[in-house]
């Protein structure tokens, strides 16, 4: 059993975070905020950041949970967004994932569900259940959610009127700039910053990490607890502690990405959504910032070479070979002991699921907030092993739940133009939980009951599952009735669109809001490829 030296208040006296980037500085920020509240605490947090090792730095989208991160730290949007080229995000569009035959849509919009969507959102889910039973009902999620309407009109998710609640939304941002912003803030609050590359790691006789050695300094860097934010290298949790890594390659085919930045047209509206467009052997992202568009292609090297993928992305974007491209190998999967001995893995070192739903920082945040709670309970109850095991199971379950939802996107595609899409739809390497969800949906079972039964296994809420399955057109063939619909009348899409259009008047124009927030700094630096 590993031991943890603690201060008088029961928290580690010395914490070393290896690796900076967004994950490392999020870790420093949350740990400093949580443990500095202990009045007699003397915890010193140190971040070791290498000049020789770059960060991945292309993850520019988030889920709404990131808003809680900034709220927890007391950071206002007008404080961080202008420094990170940030924009607002109402959801994700998925064009090209469906064959679109017969004039049907070739994709759908996945919005963030908010209190404004309760009436039309419930109508949409009721329509979807009717459609599963052979009733002709409108089931395109784009028609029923306010976020989709805001996206169509280039509106922000920020209200221009006073309401008793605010809608859910997320952000797009330059991840390198966000890491820098958090770094400077953390340093002002007392977090130490060391520039150096770890050359060696020493363990104790019990298996804990005792200290690190930096390549330019032979003195040991000791700590009571270590945070591994070394990315795919997984220096501490993987190479040093030899924590097993479990690949998701049987579930998810994609293992590579190529990224190319592109300029914005400053005369045009700024989109308030992420675009994830299906290509021949994967999908391309487009994320609007205030200084550029972030673009990339996530694909499977088993179906396409890096050269071919780059060529396809350039053709999709309409850019020449003169614009620089970055090729990124992806290690898709996760460890199951995220907290092992006196080390916690955060970010890419603990695992990665392709960025289709922008969950990377959500997993960073989830891991850290739950670790802080589990660590406090472990110390107060005097049972490290028990709470560490519970924490590891909890985080691993969250990884699995997100994986299931991502896999479902591929299971529900209807493209027939390449082996990649056909194989993604037909392979049966899916979890029992996802298989049960799809079987229940396909066979007209009680879908609400199935989701309720899996509420502790699945991360995404019921509206998201309905948007994915109904938006993909996953329904029985026309005329096939599974059971009587009990005379329930579907809600017409026109009525839902009328409501969402009316609600959209309560929101601010995206570009105008950003111009007001940024002031004279709005798009002042021009296009700078990252």
């Amino acid at each position: 059993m590993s031991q943890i030296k603690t201060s008088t208040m029961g928290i580690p006296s010395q914490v070393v975070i290896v690796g900076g980037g967004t994950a490392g500085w999020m870790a420093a920020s949350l740990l400093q905020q949580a443990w500095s509240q202990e009045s007699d605490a003397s915890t010193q947090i140190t971040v070791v950041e290498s000049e020789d090792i770059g960060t991945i730095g292309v993850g520019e989208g988030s889920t709404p949970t990131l808003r809680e991160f900034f709220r927890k730290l007391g950071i206002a949007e007008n404080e961080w967004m202008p420094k990170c080229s940030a924009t607002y995000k109402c959801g994700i569009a998925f064009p090209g994932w469906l064959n679109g035959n017969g004039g049907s849509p070739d994709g759908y919009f996945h919005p963030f569900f908010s209190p404004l969507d309760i009436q039309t959102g419930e109508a949409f889910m009721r329509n979807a259940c009717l459609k599963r039973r052979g009733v002709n009902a409108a089931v395109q999620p784009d028609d029923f959610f306010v976020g989709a309407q805001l996206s169509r009109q280039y509106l922000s998710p920020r209200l221009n009127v006073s309401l008793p609640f605010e809608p859910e939304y997320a952000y797009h941002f330059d991840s390198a700039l966000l890491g820098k912003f958090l770094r400077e803030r953390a340093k002002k609050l007392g977090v130490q910053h060391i520039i150096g590359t770890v050359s060696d790691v020493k363990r104790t006789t019990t298996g804990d990490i005792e200290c690190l050695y930096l390549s330019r300094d032979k003195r040991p860097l000791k700590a009571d607890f270590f945070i591994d934010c070394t990315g795919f290298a997984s220096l501490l949790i993987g190479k040093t502690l030899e924590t097993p890594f479990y690949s998701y390659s049987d579930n998810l085919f994609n293992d590579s990405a190529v990224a190319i930045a592109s300029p914005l047209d400053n005369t045009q509206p700024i989109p308030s959504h992420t675009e994830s467009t299906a290509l021949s052997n994967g999908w391309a992202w487009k994320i609007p910032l205030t200084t550029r568009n972030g673009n990339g292609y996530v694909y499977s090297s088993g179906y396409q070479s890096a050269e071919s993928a780059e060529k396809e992305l350039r053709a999709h974007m309409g850019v020449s070979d003169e614009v620089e491209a970055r090729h990124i190998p992806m290690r898709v999967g996760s460890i199951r002991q995220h907290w092992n001995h006196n080390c916690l893995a955060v970010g890419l070192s603990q695992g990665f699921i392709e960025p289709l739903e922008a969950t990377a920082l959500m997993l960073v945040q989830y891991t850290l907030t739950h670790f802080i709670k589990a660590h406090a309970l472990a110390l107060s109850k005097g049972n490290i092993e028990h709470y560490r095991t519970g924490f590891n199971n909890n985080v691993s379950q969250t990884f699995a739940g997100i994986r299931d939802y991502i896999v479902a996107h591929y299971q529900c595609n209807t493209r027939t133009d390449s082996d990649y899409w056909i194989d993604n739809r037909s392979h049966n390497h899916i979890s029992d939980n996802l298989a049960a969800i799809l079987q229940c949906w396909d066979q007209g079972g009680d879908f609400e009951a199935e989701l309720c039964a899996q509420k502790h296994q699945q991360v995404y809420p019921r509206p998201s599952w309905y948007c994915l399955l109904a938006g993909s057109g996953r329904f029985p063939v026309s005329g096939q009735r599974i059971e009587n619909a009990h005379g329930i009348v579907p809600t017409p899409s026109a009525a839902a669109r009328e409501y969402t259009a009316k609600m959209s008047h309560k929101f601010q124009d995206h570009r105008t809001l950003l111009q007001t927030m940024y002031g004279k700094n709005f798009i002042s630096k021009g296009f700078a490829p990252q």
Side-chain angles (χ1 to χ4, degrees):
M1 180 183 297
S2 61
Q3 302 297 315
I4 299 176
K5 286 184 181 179
T6 61
S7 71
T8 57
M9 296 302 294
I11 59 176
S13 298
Q14 297 285 339
V15 175
V16 168
I17 300 171
V18 182
T22 311
W25 290 107
M26 284 182 73
S29 299
L30 288 173
L31 291 174
Q32 192 278 336
Q33 193 271 346
W35 289 342
S36 67
Q37 294 178 357
E38 305 287 357
S39 58
D40 296 329
S42 57
T43 300
Q44 178 60 60
I45 299 172
T46 301
V47 177
V48 178
E49 199 166 20
S50 174
E51 288 182 321
D52 304 323
I53 303 172
T55 59
I56 296 296
V58 298
E60 298 163 332
S62 77
T63 67
T65 58
L66 192 62
R67 294 177 62 198
E68 178 57 30
F69 170 78
F70 289 112
R71 278 197 293 256
K72 191 175 187 64
L73 297 179
I75 302 174
E77 289 180 346
N78 61 7
E79 181 182 353
W80 76 270
M81 289 183 68
K83 296 181 180 179
C84 302
S85 303
T87 63
Y88 289 98
K89 176 181 174 181
C90 298
I92 306 174
F94 291 95
W97 286 69
L98 311 176
N99 59 32
N101 291 340
S104 60
D106 72 347
Y108 68 96
F109 191 87
H110 180 196
F112 300 127
F113 189 75
S114 79
L116 286 175
D117 296 314
I118 290 177
Q119 182 178 351
T120 52
E122 291 296 337
F124 160 72
M125 290 183 277
R126 184 168 58 249
N127 277 11
C129 287
L130 292 173
K131 183 86 169 177
R132 290 170 58 227
R133 289 161 174 79
V135 176
N136 185 18
V139 292
Q140 187 67 9
D142 308 44
D143 297 331
F144 289 83
F145 293 89
V146 172
Q149 181 69 252
L150 300 180
S151 172
R152 282 193 291 269
Q153 298 188 46
Y154 297 94
L155 297 175
S156 79
R158 292 292 302 276
L159 291 158
N160 58 24
V161 297
S162 178
L163 289 178
F165 50 78
E166 60 181 8
E168 287 280 21
Y169 61 84
Y171 308 102
H172 305 118
F173 50 86
D174 184 314
S175 59
L177 293 180
L178 179 57
K180 292 177 182 177
F181 171 82
L182 294 175
R183 178 183 68 198
E184 296 310 308
R185 179 184 179 276
K187 288 168 64 177
K188 290 178 182 178
L189 293 174
V191 174
Q192 289 188 355
H193 183 211
I194 296 177
I195 301 296
T197 302
V198 175
S199 59
D200 193 21
V201 183
K202 182 180 179 181
R203 299 179 69 177
T204 68
T205 56
T206 63
D208 283 359
I209 297 174
E210 180 178 333
C211 64
L212 313 173
Y213 291 91
L214 304 185
S215 57
R216 298 178 184 177
D217 189 345
K218 300 303 180 183
R219 292 174 298 176
L221 181 59
K222 296 184 177 182
D224 312 307
F225 201 85
F226 294 83
I227 310 290
D228 187 344
C229 295
T230 61
F232 289 139
S234 198
L235 176 62
L236 302 184
I237 203 76
K239 292 179 180 177
T240 300
L241 297 181
E242 299 180 329
T243 308
F245 177 84
Y246 298 89
S247 173
Y248 291 164
S249 59
D250 283 348
N251 311 108
L252 294 166
F253 295 175
N254 295 338
D255 58 4
S256 305
V258 54
I260 302 175
S262 65
L264 285 171
D265 183 345
N266 293 341
T267 66
Q268 296 300 311
I270 299 177
S272 55
H273 68 271
T274 299
E275 193 168 281
S276 298
T277 305
L279 298 184
S280 67
N281 295 288
W283 57 274
W285 77 77
K286 183 176 182 180
I287 295 177
L289 307 181
T290 60
T291 52
R292 62 182 169 91
N293 283 313
N295 309 275
Y297 182 16
V298 176
Y299 64 97
S300 169
S301 63
Y303 291 79
Q304 190 169 26
S305 68
E307 294 75 17
S308 174
E310 181 180 332
K311 182 178 180 180
E312 184 174 2
L313 176 61
R314 291 186 184 280
H316 172 68
M317 294 173 56
V319 298
S320 68
D321 292 344
E322 297 177 358
V323 183
E324 181 184 1
R326 293 179 57 200
H327 288 269
I328 307 164
M330 302 188 309
R331 185 183 72 156
V332 180
S334 75
I335 58 177
R336 294 175 187 169
Q337 288 178 283
H338 307 266
W339 174 6
N340 190 9
H341 287 278
N342 62 335
C343 178
L344 174 72
V346 176
L348 299 180
S349 63
Q350 67 180 138
F352 181 68
I353 303 170
E354 63 175 79
L356 186 59
E357 289 281 351
T359 53
L361 292 190
M362 182 180 84
L363 284 165
V364 168
Q365 186 178 344
Y366 184 92
T367 298
L368 289 164
T369 54
H370 283 74
F371 165 75
I372 291 168
K373 294 177 183 176
H375 186 270
L377 285 170
L379 293 179
S380 66
K381 302 295 185 181
N383 193 339
I384 290 284
E385 292 298 335
H386 172 76
Y387 287 99
R388 179 162 49 198
T389 299
F391 164 82
N392 285 330
N393 291 340
N394 191 2
V395 176
S396 293
Q397 187 171 280
T398 301
F399 265 86
I402 292 174
R403 178 205 61 203
D404 283 354
Y405 190 70
I406 300 301
V407 171
H409 287 70
Y410 295 99
Q411 289 277 306
C412 293
N413 94 84
T414 59
R415 293 176 64 120
T416 57
D417 58 321
S418 73
D419 289 341
Y420 170 88
W421 290 106
I422 294 171
D423 293 347
N424 262 288
R425 184 169 58 251
S426 62
H427 84 87
N428 57 8
H429 296 291
I430 62 177
S431 72
D432 291 342
N433 288 334
L434 177 57
I437 286 175
L438 296 179
Q439 183 181 41
C440 179
W441 176 274
D442 293 342
Q443 296 181 359
D446 189 338
F447 195 60
E448 293 288 331
E450 182 61 40
L451 292 181
C452 184
Q454 292 200 33
K455 64 182 179 181
H456 297 301
Q457 285 76 41
Q458 295 302 331
V459 175
Y460 280 82
R462 51 193 284 268
S464 293
W465 281 104
Y466 276 97
C467 285
L468 169 57
L469 296 169
S472 298
R474 194 180 177 101
F475 294 104
V477 295
S478 179
Q480 178 184 352
R481 284 182 172 271
I482 299 174
E483 65 178 52
N484 188 287
H486 303 296
I488 300 175
V489 178
T491 299
S493 60
R497 273 191 176 245
E498 181 180 356
Y499 168 80
T500 59
K502 181 180 178 180
M503 289 297 104
S504 70
H505 297 156
K506 302 179 185 296
F507 292 86
Q508 303 177 58
D509 175 75
H510 194 203
R511 171 178 280 276
T512 302
L513 172 61
L514 293 173
Q515 285 177 320
T516 301
M517 177 188 293
Y518 281 50
K520 64 180 181 180
N521 295 319
F522 184 65
I523 319 184
S524 62
K525 297 181 181 179
F527 170 55
Q530 300 295 310

